[in-house]
Amino acid sequence: MAKRTRIIEGTWNCTSCDAKDILARHKRCPNCNNPRELTGDESDFDFGDVDAESGKSLREGVTDDKALEIAGAGEDWFCAFCGAANRGDQLRCKHCGAERSADAKAAPLQAFETPARRPPAPPPPETKPRSLKKWLFLGVLFTCCFGSGLYGMWARATHDFTGEVTGTSWKVAVTQERFTPVRKTGWADQLSRVSARMPVNGSGEVAGVDNVRDCVERQRGTRKVADGTERVCRSKTRRVACGTEEKCRRRDKGNGFVEEVCEDITKYCNESYEDCQNETRYRNEPVYARQCTYDTYEWKQVDRREATGQDGKPAWPSLQPGATDRQHRSEEYAVHIRYEDDGVKETVLEPKTERDFLSWKKGQGVIVTVTNSGDLKKVVPR
């Protein structure tokens, strides 16, 4: 669509008499007659607010010929001799009459951004209190990390204390298993005839598969098979044109006026729709196979005996194994130790083997190594 152009006139504030909102067409203050100069306040123009959605100026555009003539006169320049502002098409300073020279300063131009539909809020300026908070936070963080490191070093430091073994205890067990004939079921395609072999001294056995019989069809599982098609719809969204919206942009003319160009562009919206397709439908179908009974062997527990005791060598229970038997042993040991570390404390060692257990005796002196945090590191006889 066609572009629409407007000229927006800005305003400035006089720093000599504090007059406000002076129209840009005035190169002199209407109140005190001082010329507008290239200062931080007088060279900055206020062009009013803009609409956040379109970027269009909320200020009315100028229509009178005088203002339009000034707007088209080019960028203002500031006299190098007296500093007064002048129209861009003037060759001499209207204030002091000096000719426009090469060292005359140009008016500063403002850069305008076309606002987005929902412009993000600008971040707050960095202030000294915030900077102070940042340094305080870093200081606290450093102190915590440094303190944690020092505490870790202190906690890992060890100390030795004298103690003694106050007693020992043990629990042992012997389990006896026998290679026993059993009847099992299995799938025919997984059964191959294998002769059984009896164990010798509790090892070397082969369970075997023998006398496969009584085979029947049974359900082994399920499988998915195609069963036609079905219509499946899924909700989706897409971007579609939904009319037009006005968007405007501005250009600083360098003389207190801006040129605003507006045009209508395509507007896009999110639209929900159903995406439907024909997809293969599946059903579960049972799978059958032949299941058979067969003879084999497996280890079965036939006896188990336990024994417990204190302060001495473990007394293992005695079992008489047969030709097709085997035995397993299990053992648990405890050594009770007392030592002084800011008071009487006790701990328990758990040796893994009988040999290690028998190296500890009731009444035996020990050296206990403990960290500052209370973790037991080691215990050695003394």
Side-chain angles (χ1 to χ4, degrees):
M1 294 187 180
K3 296 181 180 180
R4 300 176 292 279
T5 302
R6 296 194 306 163
I7 299 298
I8 307 297
E9 184 174 7
T11 58
W12 59 281
N13 300 327
C14 179
T15 58
S16 298
C17 67
D18 204 28
K20 306 292 185 184
D21 301 326
I22 304 170
L23 291 176
R25 68 187 69 184
H26 301 299
K27 307 302 179 186
R28 295 175 177 269
C29 173
N31 188 43
C32 67
N33 204 37
N34 280 337
R36 182 170 63 85
E37 298 177 349
L38 186 62
T39 65
D41 294 328
E42 293 185 350
S43 62
D44 290 338
F45 287 94
D46 177 17
F47 297 102
D49 296 330
V50 297
D51 179 70
E53 291 288 328
S54 65
K56 185 175 183 178
S57 176
L58 300 182
R59 184 174 292 183
E60 293 292 334
V62 296
T63 56
D64 59 285
D65 294 340
K66 180 180 179 181
L68 293 175
E69 177 190 354
I70 297 174
E75 297 180 4
D76 283 355
W77 58 277
F78 292 86
C79 179
F81 182 76
C82 69
N86 293 275
R87 285 175 46 158
D89 57 356
Q90 291 177 342
L91 300 180
R92 287 183 174 274
C93 176
K94 293 284 290 184
H95 182 67
C96 68
E99 291 187 0
R100 181 175 183 175
S101 58
D103 55 352
K105 297 181 180 179
L109 300 180
Q110 294 189 42
F112 301 105
E113 294 183 359
T114 301
R117 181 177 294 274
R118 291 181 178 84
E126 194 75 23
T127 61
K128 290 185 178 180
R130 186 172 180 179
S131 177
L132 179 60
K133 288 181 180 179
K134 180 174 117 177
W135 284 110
L136 285 175
F137 171 76
L138 292 176
V140 171
L141 182 63
F142 173 78
T143 302
C144 290
C145 294
F146 184 70
S148 297
L150 288 179
Y151 174 78
M153 294 174 60
W154 173 86
R156 289 191 295 270
T158 59
H159 300 278
D160 292 338
F161 301 95
T162 60
E164 68 172 348
V165 177
T166 59
T168 63
S169 61
W170 49 267
K171 178 181 179 181
V172 295
V174 178
T175 301
Q176 186 164 305
E177 297 177 336
R178 184 163 296 154
F179 202 51
T180 306
V182 294
R183 183 175 61 183
K184 290 187 175 182
T185 58
W187 300 108
D189 60 350
Q190 295 177 345
L191 298 176
S192 298
R193 183 179 176 83
V194 178
S195 298
R197 184 170 65 233
M198 295 299 103
V200 177
N201 296 326
S203 63
E205 75 280 356
V206 175
V209 175
D210 193 18
N211 192 20
V212 178
R213 61 196 183 278
D214 301 334
C215 297
V216 294
E217 290 287 323
R218 296 187 184 277
Q219 184 175 341
R220 190 173 185 175
T222 60
R223 63 183 174 187
K224 291 186 177 295
V225 295
D227 187 24
T229 61
E230 59 182 349
R231 192 73 169 167
V232 177
C233 296
R234 298 177 177 86
S235 296
K236 296 184 177 181
T237 59
R238 60 190 171 193
R239 300 279 289 174
V240 297
C242 56
T244 60
E245 59 183 348
E246 186 178 45
K247 289 293 181 182
C248 302
R249 60 183 182 275
R250 297 183 295 170
R251 181 180 66 85
D252 190 355
K253 297 179 71 65
N255 51 19
F257 295 84
V258 294
E259 181 184 63
E260 179 186 79
V261 179
C262 298
E263 57 185 330
D264 294 323
I265 64 173
T266 303
K267 179 181 179 181
Y268 291 91
C269 305
N270 288 329
E271 177 186 72
S272 298
Y273 70 100
E274 293 292 315
D275 181 19
C276 299
Q277 297 178 349
N278 289 327
E279 297 183 359
T280 303
R281 181 176 61 242
Y282 293 91
R283 60 180 172 83
N284 289 327
E285 183 179 84
V287 176
Y288 293 92
R290 295 173 67 240
Q291 190 178 63
C292 306
T293 302
Y294 65 98
D295 295 331
T296 185
Y297 286 82
E298 66 179 20
W299 290 104
K300 287 191 175 183
Q301 181 176 315
V302 294
D303 200 356
R304 176 181 171 84
R305 297 183 185 180
E306 295 182 353
T308 60
Q310 295 180 343
D311 303 330
K313 183 177 181 179
W316 289 90
S318 178
L319 294 175
Q320 297 299 322
T324 58
D325 292 348
R326 66 181 180 184
Q327 292 183 351
H328 294 291
R329 287 187 168 195
S330 59
E331 52 196 326
E332 297 178 11
Y333 304 106
V335 178
H336 301 270
I337 295 174
R338 180 182 299 153
Y339 64 98
E340 290 190 7
D341 175 12
D342 294 333
V344 177
K345 295 186 178 180
E346 295 185 353
T347 188
V348 177
L349 299 182
E350 296 180 349
K352 299 300 182 183
T353 66
E354 180 178 350
R355 180 179 179 180
D356 292 339
F357 172 71
L358 293 176
S359 65
W360 300 96
K361 306 295 182 184
K362 183 178 179 179
Q364 179 181 3
V366 296
I367 300 295
V368 180
T369 302
V370 183
T371 65
N372 282 333
S373 61
D375 293 334
L376 180 68
K377 301 302 289 183
K378 67 179 178 178
V379 179
V380 295
R382 63 180 173 89

